[in-house]
Amino acid sequence: MGVLQISQDKTHLLLDGRPFFWLADTCWSAFTNITETEWEEYLNFRQKQGFNVLQINTLHQWDRCGSKLNYFPFPTEDGIRFDFERILPEYFSRARRMCQCAADKGFTLMLVVMWCNYVPGTWAAKVYDRNVIPETYVEPIIQKICQSFNEFHPVYAISGDTGFEGDGTIDRYRLAADCVEKYAPDALRAWHIKGRYDGLPQEFADRSDIYLYQSGHNPAAQHMAHELAESFASRTPKHPVINSEPCYEQMGYSHHEYGRFRQKDIRCALWNSLLSGACAGISYGAHGIWNWQKPEMPENPIAGEGFLRAMSVGQALRFPGAEDFAFAKSFLEEKGISSLTPCQEILIDYPEDIRAARTEREILLYVPVNAPFALKGDYRKYGVSAVDLSTRKAIPFELACGEQTAHAGMHAGYEDVIVILEKL
């Protein structure tokens, strides 16, 4: 079983000493909603696509889809309110079997220790405050989590979907971090934070190994995919950066606006993240997988952020956008690219729309619309190629290069493309 490490330059991850591109699927409610037979089928499908990380909530996901399964970490009469004084060992035994199955198939785990609904002062606790874990039970619960899962060498996300607006929240997550460091001293640590937010306290940045951010599900704020990447890439201390929750495919728009995120929307978030400083990897989400929507199941009375009804697991598992994320991984791996440095300064046109990043030998441009644009610089000694991301096939691309500028005209693609400039 491989062990993740941080690269020496703090830009990307290594697995057994070799560059590792984090391609995660978001499956928050796995331990409560999925049978072990379904789990193996799901893992086989994602493994074939090229996914290598799974993001899971170790405890009950408060806004999961309803389920007739009776898997809970604590005693409960209604599946909503819990008796935190008693930890149910059978829940963790089953979760361990699921983790072992995933590890046997080569998956790395990112496990959330304490989602925000369990923590005082968070936005979720204000929506539903009956499951805030009393302070006295925090350490034994985290001890059980670490003792159950440490052997799988997970990345522990200490928080889930949270902000840090109040002293009560910060104090509780400080305690949680203390417990994780006590019971899992060798594990990599991160913080899964709420959407459109970079307010990770400095003390928690100092206790991180990876920066995770969430560009989220607000249609008017999709620019946060690149803005948050830039923000976290510029932070001190330096850590690899990952967009761990871009807009989910077929998730309804937040604030109950009309619309769902479709394939091109999530592809745009993907490339805007990777070329803006979050080059260590990317997480994918399908609305119906993270919350595990199955037909003829009871409704969860806590809606949370399940904007619009999710499609069934059978549909969601086959959403086409997952292949776009897998393609990004294979594309970068085949080119041997593990680290990218943003270079927006080379853009003359559309610097807020086109994204640019470089390695020692290449420059990659994400061009979302088929429109002419210009670059600063001399690219006469570069080869030029392009991939139409809607088909994932190479297309002709011409760049008219002069001593100080280069001009790209219309190309043969219909949607967004990746342009590759490579030193000859």
Side-chain angles (χ1 to χ4, degrees), residues 27 66 117 135 151 166 193 225 266 268 281 283 374 390:
C27 197
N117 62 292
E135 183 175 339
E151 71 172 275
I193 59 179
I266 66 167
C268 184
S283 298
S390 65

Side-chain angles (χ1 to χ4, degrees), residues 90-102:
E90 58 269 25
Y91 171 88
F92 286 94
S93 296
R94 178 178 179 276
R96 278 176 48 79
R97 291 197 301 273
M98 295 175 74
C99 289
Q100 185 64 64
C101 184

Side-chain angles (χ1 to χ4, degrees), residues 2 43 58 141 152 197 222 229 286 289 299 315 321 385 413 420:
L43 293 177
T58 60
I141 290 170
F152 304 109
Y197 180 76
Q222 289 306 296
I289 295 297
E299 291 290 330
Q315 292 173 291
S385 59
I420 307 101

